[in-house]
Amino acid sequence: MGLFIPMSMPLSGAALRAGALEVVVLGGHLLLYPTGVCQEKVTVRPPATRPPILLLHGFTDNRSVFVLLRRALGAGGRHVEAYNYSPFTLDLRVTARHLARRVEELCERTGQERVELIGHSLGGLVGRYYVQRLGGDARVRTLVTLGTPHSGTRVAPFMDAHPLVRQMRPDSEVLTELAAPAPGCTTRCVAFWSEFDALMAPVGSARIEHPDLRVENVQVTGIGHLALPAHPAVITAVRRALDGPGLTAVTGSDTASVA
């Protein structure tokens, strides 16, 4: 889920500010969108010293949504790549299998055994399906999701004609598979969710609730769906999440954490 933004949030001052920020981010993203249409060129680099990071965009989106996040992560010395899955995909499980091959290739190219995955919206579900259902926990050290409908979303019912949207509905076959037992899953999951995420209905669906997963749910305040991968506070929190546990909340002005 990427560029479609139904503005149905309560009209409080904080909500209005979050909505205004969404409009600004959307405008910037529309300008950058053409730059991310093509798959990026894969380059051969010296072996990485830390797990490389692979970014997964949302529905109707592309890798351009990660311009700011990628720059910040790369500035810390991490090897960062973005994966554009096909805009014509009709089943996120097929995309997850393609992701599995991309991860294997990335590990071989960087000399690392494991990677970090960061998924925005639908991209988070693709990453989670790979981790839970395709053995991806052997390769993924940390899965970070930003505004991902882990429990399904009921927003925009008129879009049910699209198979991917149906897979993001509560009680879909895909979400039923993800709710199944996942004993021994070794991947650490960090899920960022916001009360002003207009694409999550209900809002709490962006949390991961699963007894077998190592989960840290991070609440975001004052930030909407599109701003999640672009806001400085969230970017800082993502960097900290990749370094280890401890986050409790993120706001539009600062980040709160505990050691």
Side-chain angles (χ1 to χ4, degrees):
M1 306 176 76
L3 298 183
F4 175 77
I5 307 178
M7 301 306 292
S8 58
M9 57 182 68
L11 294 180
S12 66
L16 288 172
R17 288 191 294 271
L21 178 60
E22 286 289 273
V23 173
V24 172
V25 172
L26 175 60
H29 187 41
L30 288 175
L31 291 175
L32 290 172
Y33 192 89
T35 68
V37 170
C38 297
Q39 192 75 260
E40 70 180 20
K41 295 181 179 179
V42 175
T43 58
V44 178
R45 300 185 181 183
T49 57
R50 299 179 65 186
I53 300 169
L54 190 59
L55 308 173
L56 303 169
H57 61 80
F59 178 58
T60 74
D61 217 336
N62 63 40
R63 59 188 174 87
S64 63
V65 73
F66 293 119
V67 167
L68 297 179
L69 177 60
R70 180 174 186 166
R71 182 182 303 164
L73 294 174
R78 303 293 291 267
H79 180 91
V80 187
E81 295 184 4
Y83 175 50
N84 267 11
Y85 52 84
S86 172
F88 303 109
T89 185
L90 300 178
D91 190 333
L92 70 82
R93 293 167 291 194
V94 173
T95 301
R97 288 193 285 271
H98 294 163
L99 171 63
R101 291 194 289 271
R102 176 61 182 269
V103 168
E104 290 298 320
E105 184 272 335
L106 179 58
C107 286
E108 181 178 357
R109 184 159 38 84
T110 59
Q112 291 290 305
E113 293 295 321
R114 307 192 84 183
V115 305
E116 317 272 26
L117 285 184
I118 301 175
H120 179 228
S121 198
L122 175 64
L125 276 186
V126 173
R128 185 178 166 194
Y129 194 91
Y130 165 56
V131 164
Q132 276 187 244
R133 306 297 297 177
L134 302 178
D137 63 316
R139 286 297 195 191
V140 180
R141 189 181 75 161
T142 308
L143 170 66
V144 176
T145 66
L146 307 171
T148 291
H150 292 287
S151 299
T153 179
R154 297 184 178 89
V155 77
F158 60 88
M159 293 186 68
D160 277 351
H162 198 293
L164 277 181
V165 174
R166 292 199 298 271
Q167 289 184 333
M168 290 185 280
R169 296 303 191 202
D171 302 320
S172 71
E173 184 177 309
V174 167
L175 295 186
T176 299
E177 288 185 59
L178 291 177
C185 183
T186 60
T187 297
R188 172 173 164 257
C189 301
V190 183
F192 288 80
W193 67 282
S194 172
E195 80 274 34
F196 294 134
D197 188 334
L199 267 66
M200 298 299 107
V203 168
S205 64
R207 295 169 53 91
I208 298 178
E209 307 288 352
H210 196 295
D212 293 333
L213 300 182
R214 298 169 53 208
V215 177
E216 187 173 1
N217 289 303
V218 182
Q219 184 175 4
V220 173
T221 301
I223 301 172
H225 187 80
L226 269 187
L228 283 169
H231 197 285
V234 178
I235 291 173
T236 298
V238 169
R239 293 181 64 179
R240 292 181 182 177
L242 296 181
D243 290 334
L247 289 170
T248 56
V250 177
T251 72
S253 57
D254 61 9
T255 301
S257 65
V258 294

